[in-house]
Amino acid sequence: MRKKVWLIILIVVVLGGGAAGWYGYQSATKTTSNGSKVRSDSAVKKDINSRLVYGGIKKQKSTTTKIKKAAASGSSYTFSNMYTKVNAYGSSPLTAIAAFHTTKAAKVTYTVVGKTSKTSITNKTTKYTKNHTLQVLGLYANYKNKVKVTVTYKNKTKQTKTIYLKTKKLPSSLSSMKVSVKKNNKSKMVLGSGNSKLTFMVRTTISGKNKSKNYSFGMDADGTIRWYTTRPTSHIFKQLSNGHLLIWTKSKKSNSYFNQLVEMDYTGKMYKVYRLNHKAWGKTAGSKKQNHNQIHHDVTELPNGDLIATVSDGGRKYVEDTMIVISHKTGKITKVINMKNILPAKFYEQYSATKSSKYMGKTDWFHENSVYYDSTDKSLIISSRNQNLVMKIDYKTEKIKWILSGKKRSAWPKSYRKYLLKASGKISWPGGQHAAIVDPSTLKNKNSLNLLIFNNNIAVGTTKSSLAKSSGKYSEGVEYHINEKTKTISQVGSYGKSLGKANFSNIIGSNRYLSSSNRLIDFGWLDNGDAANIIEYDTKTKKQVFNVKLSNLGSGGYVYRAERFSLYPTKHSYGTNE
């Protein structure tokens, strides 16, 4: 009897342990409708481990306190005797803070005097106050900058003063770069109020100590660098709705990896720091974890302030096919979207179109290089380089709304073909494309929008015959009109084909909306990665108004994207420069 009882207990323990093991395995995977195993949301969250950290923000507190005291101290710092500090926060060498107190409330206008026409950068405050803290942005490097400051009191009387701010020379990684401005029609360029808009070069510094100084920078219409950050940046350089910058950087400059999203202003002052785990599993079972950036190509701000980022799921098999949503309040991941749960299993299980050693043998079947949030119908527009597709999915349900595909229709399972956009007239089909965004002026239209992409025009894998024929011959910025109700697409504009193979960019690039007429295109990978060509053109006349070529970019320093941002944004208009 006793043996029988022990036998029953043993069976229960074995079965219980097996059930626990089975449950543990199931919790680490989930099954798509086609039966393929995909990492669970909880496993992805645990691997990436996003959270807010505060060390760097605490270190800058003394600087902020000193500036506030200077602005409030009428006895020490007045209009005739201002407190000034170049590079106040230690990471933006071409900026300064000027602080002073006036006995009467006043507004302030100030100008960094430029060297040529349309290069003087002006800003003004909007409220009358006695305490004044000015962000002086757009200084020249290695130069005694002349800054004119004017205060205007409520009775309309004015005082003007000139201050001088000396800056250090550019670091060698920027000064060694060659800049050739071939065109700068300043009257036609979109330079913004007070000429405050610069053309920002977003770098693709991947990793490695020797690649940590390929700084992102902004240049004026003359091609002169007027802003840069000494925080290493890779891929992510965005303006948020509050006007702050969001960059992907390192917790330590000496690190060989990137692991932090930093929200900061142009002076370098930090407001939030999100830190992520920087390691992912190696290629074989039992191998040690190796460095692999979790965030790779894009981060977009959602209307509630949360961030959606393109990541890898941290598993041993696939990379760059997942998105996470990070809470701006807690820094934690609140949502995971894995493209393996949305697209056909054969697309990733049978993928062989590209190979890369940098992913430790993993499969880069999707290669998501942009994500855009369409607030009109709460959807995501996603660009996948290695599937030659741009698609729209519902943010909440993850159901597909439409697919713009460079693949043959027959490559898609029948159940997906109802989502494929049909061309109305001749269009350029996307091939290895980047940076899908929406013309913001069309966001108000119901079931209708204009889509902008940078079409690298390279056929990755099996594609439509027209794409295969044109592949590698040119790259172009393309604008489409999509009727979301009838699922038809037509082409309304393009630029780049006439430039031919000289401007064919095998990888990277962007096509940005600047105004109703102007677009900014980054041909980011020229001369085997040594050069980039950034062109602003008028869509109506097809004429270039700005053309700058950068060369001698340095290892890993390619111009991933080009943006036109204001140094003094009052409120960032979402979609305009995303």
Side-chain angles (χ1 to χ4, degrees), residues 105 187 218 375 380 392 409 527 529:
S187 64
S375 60
L380 300 175
K392 190 176 196 180
R409 185 178 175 85
D527 301 340

Side-chain angles (χ1 to χ4, degrees), residues 407-466:
K407 286 177 175 289
K408 295 178 180 178
R409 185 178 175 85
S410 59
W412 288 90
K414 290 182 179 180
S415 61
Y416 285 83
R417 293 176 190 173
K418 62 186 176 183
Y419 303 115
L420 298 177
L421 297 177
K422 295 178 181 178
S424 176
K426 189 176 180 181
I427 72 168
S428 298
W429 294 98
Q433 77 297 320
H434 284 73
I437 62 170
V438 174
D439 175 340
S441 68
T442 66
L443 284 172
K444 62 183 181 293
N445 302 334
K446 189 175 181 180
N447 297 322
S448 170
L449 57 81
N450 280 16
L451 178 77
L452 280 73
I453 66 169
F454 179 79
N455 193 9
N456 299 76
N457 195 33
I458 179 167
V460 183
T462 303
T463 60
K464 296 179 184 292
S465 58
S466 60

Side-chain angles (χ1 to χ4, degrees), residues 53 205-215 230-234 247-262 270 273-276 278 293:
V53 295
T205 304
I206 305 290
S207 62
K209 293 180 181 179
N210 294 331
K211 298 179 182 180
S212 64
K213 294 184 178 179
N214 289 315
Y215 304 134
T230 54
R231 288 192 177 107
T233 54
S234 178
I247 66 169
W248 181 232
T249 186
K250 303 179 178 185
S251 54
K252 292 182 180 179
K253 289 183 181 181
S254 59
N255 289 345
S256 62
Y257 52 84
F258 288 76
N259 64 332
Q260 283 194 166
L261 279 174
V262 171
M270 296 185 290
V273 179
Y274 306 82
R275 186 169 297 172
L276 284 71
H278 67 275
N293 294 344

Side-chain angles (χ1 to χ4, degrees), residues 17-249:
W22 179 87
Y23 178 80
Y25 173 76
Q26 289 298 315
S27 67
T29 63
K30 65 181 175 184
T31 306
T32 59
S33 57
N34 48 41
S36 298
K37 300 298 181 183
V38 179
R39 294 196 88 205
S40 70
D41 293 356
S42 59
V44 174
K45 290 177 182 179
K46 183 178 180 181
D47 184 76
I48 296 176
N49 189 26
S50 173
R51 69 273 190 198
L52 289 171
V53 295
Y54 302 94
I57 293 174
K58 289 179 181 177
K59 287 181 180 178
Q60 69 184 17
K61 191 174 181 180
S62 60
T63 299
T64 301
T65 300
K66 188 174 183 179
I67 293 168
K68 285 183 177 179
K69 285 183 178 179
S73 176
S75 58
S76 299
Y77 298 106
T78 61
F79 180 67
S80 59
N81 181 39
M82 298 181 192
Y83 168 86
T84 59
K85 179 67 175 178
V86 173
N87 195 16
Y89 290 96
S91 61
S92 296
L94 301 185
T95 72
I97 295 291
F100 60 96
H101 183 83
T102 52
T103 55
K104 296 179 181 179
K107 291 181 179 180
V108 184
T109 300
Y110 55 103
T111 299
V112 176
V113 179
K115 296 181 179 180
T116 65
S117 66
K118 297 281 188 178
T119 58
S120 291
I121 297 174
T122 298
N123 187 42
K124 57 185 177 181
T125 61
T126 57
K127 295 179 180 180
Y128 286 100
T129 182
K130 295 179 181 180
N131 299 344
H132 308 278
T133 301
L134 311 180
Q135 292 186 351
V136 185
L137 311 176
L139 302 175
Y140 289 93
N142 196 29
Y143 188 67
K144 188 176 181 181
N145 289 267
K146 185 178 181 180
V147 183
K148 291 183 177 179
V149 186
T150 300
V151 293
T152 302
Y153 300 100
K154 290 182 178 180
N155 62 5
K156 305 303 179 182
T157 60
K158 296 182 179 182
Q159 284 181 286
T160 299
K161 177 180 174 59
T162 299
I163 60 174
Y164 295 89
L165 300 170
K166 183 71 174 69
T167 53
K168 295 181 180 179
K169 64 181 182 180
L170 291 173
S172 59
S173 60
L174 292 181
S175 61
S176 62
M177 189 171 52
K178 296 179 181 178
V179 179
S180 175
V181 177
K182 300 179 180 180
K183 183 84 173 179
N184 63 343
N185 185 340
K186 297 176 184 179
S187 64
K188 299 291 185 180
M189 292 175 66
V190 177
L191 297 176
S193 176
N195 303 314
S196 63
K197 289 191 174 184
L198 302 181
T199 306
F200 288 89
M201 309 301 169
V202 183
R203 312 302 288 274
T204 64
T205 304
I206 305 290
S207 62
K209 293 180 181 179
N210 294 331
K211 298 179 182 180
S212 64
K213 294 184 178 179
N214 289 315
Y215 304 134
S216 289
F217 61 92
M219 62 170 53
D220 63 17
D222 289 338
T224 303
I225 294 176
R226 304 286 294 274
W227 184 91
Y228 70 97
T229 176
T230 54
R231 288 192 177 107
T233 54
S234 178
H235 292 82
I236 312 302
F237 188 95
K238 293 290 188 78
Q239 263 190 355
L240 301 175
S241 58
N242 60 10
H244 293 163
L245 292 172
L246 184 73
I247 66 169
W248 181 232
T249 186

Side-chain angles (χ1 to χ4, degrees), residues 476-546:
E476 58 182 345
V478 183
E479 185 165 349
Y480 308 96
H481 174 72
I482 297 175
N483 186 318
E484 298 183 302
K485 192 171 183 179
T486 62
K487 291 192 170 51
T488 55
I489 183 170
S490 57
Q491 188 162 311
V492 296
S494 67
Y495 188 82
K497 187 175 181 178
S498 62
L499 304 177
K501 201 160 187 175
N503 274 55
F504 168 67
S505 185
N506 179 46
I507 59 174
I508 64 182
S510 56
N511 178 26
R512 296 316 206 196
Y513 177 98
L514 298 182
S515 69
S516 60
S517 61
N518 289 29
R519 305 289 183 267
L520 184 71
I521 305 180
D522 167 36
F523 299 89
W525 179 277
L526 306 180
D527 301 340
N528 200 31
D530 183 66
N533 188 197
I534 291 83
I535 295 173
E536 179 182 354
Y537 81 101
D538 187 315
T539 58
K540 296 172 183 176
T541 64
K542 296 292 183 180
K543 290 184 178 180
Q544 296 181 10
V545 298
F546 179 62

Side-chain angles (χ1 to χ4, degrees), residues 41 44-45 48-51 261 274 276 295 298-311 322-338 368 371 373 380 393-396 398:
D41 293 356
V44 174
K45 290 177 182 179
I48 296 176
N49 189 26
S50 173
R51 69 273 190 198
L261 279 174
Y274 306 82
L276 284 71
I295 294 178
D298 205 6
V299 176
T300 291
E301 183 183 21
L302 297 173
N304 67 354
D306 289 350
L307 307 173
I308 185 166
T310 60
V311 299
T322 304
M323 289 173 280
I324 57 171
V325 176
I326 303 172
S327 168
H328 72 288
K329 294 179 180 179
T330 67
K332 298 294 185 182
I333 299 171
T334 60
K335 183 179 177 68
V336 177
I337 300 175
N338 196 316
E368 183 178 355
V371 54
Y373 184 81
L380 300 175
I393 65 171
D394 185 276
Y395 173 71
K396 185 176 181 180
E398 300 175 23

